Amino acid sequence: MWLVVFFGAAFLIAMTPGANNLLGMHHAIRHGALRALTGLSGRLVAMALMIAAVAAGLGPLLASSELALTIIKWAGVAYLVYLGVRILVNTWRHGPGELGPLADEDAVKSLFPLVRKEFLVCAGNPKAVLIMTAFLPQFVESARGPVALQVALLGLVYLVAELAAGTVFVLVGGIIRSVRMSVRAQRNVDRGTGLALLGVAGMLAASR
């Protein structure tokens, strides 16, 4: 029962329209849902590394270090600004006939760039670190067995919740892509995504 409760809470947190979810939706619009779903693996790898750190006892130490969180935060802000600006610049750089459904700011020819972006955005978000170090341990009780094993199990459940939430945003992006929007509409969606990522970067920069 406690795992069901944890999954429900984790899914609600994962459904927050943050940078990774917006990025996943953008990837689905530009590359298709299948490629975007593959890109989600980058986010899951970053989360898995954080879970491993918590299980090893390094997570709380990292969360208590103001310097470490500050470095992570500003690295994340810088990367989100880079992505947001790159998407916005791309919408003005291409002519009306050049911005096709498969166009992308990196002219992606493989899945690796999508995976890398998802990984870096997740790894550069101190919120993800705090979720692993503050939210997840609240569901750990010594009576249930070894703490490290519980953290690993809860972490696996959280990864499932993150995958489910990310899939929802990817499917939304896939639906938008299937509409076959006009070039102007595609530009507007890209500009909206770019501005949203800059907005998330601003909120992250202003957070304490």
Side-chain angles (χ1 to χ4, degrees):
M1 182 63 182
W2 64 292
L3 287 178
V4 175
V5 174
F6 176 77
F7 176 82
F11 181 73
L12 290 177
I13 292 176
M15 278 294 292
T16 303
N20 270 110
N21 285 332
L22 291 174
L23 188 62
M25 185 169 67
H26 174 71
H27 285 163
I29 294 172
R30 309 309 289 161
H31 306 293
L34 186 58
R35 282 175 171 265
L37 285 173
T38 304
L40 290 180
S41 62
R43 184 194 318 188
L44 298 181
V45 169
M47 284 286 184
L49 292 176
M50 294 177 196
I51 293 166
V54 173
L58 300 177
L61 181 63
L62 176 62
S64 64
S65 172
E66 184 176 349
L67 176 61
L69 288 179
T70 299
I71 292 173
I72 292 173
K73 182 180 83 168
W74 287 108
V77 168
Y79 191 63
L80 287 176
V81 169
Y82 165 77
L83 287 181
V85 171
R86 190 75 182 269
I87 292 173
L88 289 173
V89 169
N90 186 67
T91 63
W92 277 286
R93 188 177 61 191
H94 290 282
E98 297 174 335
L99 192 64
L102 296 179
D104 180 68
E105 65 274 11
D106 288 334
V108 174
K109 295 181 180 179
S110 69
L111 295 172
F112 178 73
L114 278 67
V115 175
R116 181 189 63 213
K117 288 179 186 178
E118 287 271 8
F119 177 87
L120 291 176
V121 169
C122 183
N125 188 352
K127 175 187 174 183
V129 176
L130 294 175
I131 286 174
M132 293 299 104
T133 57
F135 169 70
L136 187 148
Q138 293 183 34
F139 290 83
V140 176
E141 293 184 8
S142 57
R144 293 196 178 103
V147 172
L149 183 60
Q150 289 185 64
V151 170
L153 180 58
L154 290 170
L156 180 60
V157 173
Y158 189 88
L159 289 180
V160 173
E162 190 73 35
L163 176 61
T167 299
V168 170
F169 279 84
V170 165
L171 292 178
V172 171
I175 292 172
I176 295 174
R177 176 186 171 89
S178 67
V179 174
R180 297 187 181 278
M181 298 178 295
S182 65
V183 171
R184 174 174 293 184
Q186 290 179 44
R187 278 207 185 98
N188 289 336
V189 170
D190 278 351
R191 287 170 183 170
T193 302
L195 290 174
L197 289 175
L198 291 178
V200 172
M203 290 188 292
L204 182 58
S207 67
R208 292 182 178 272

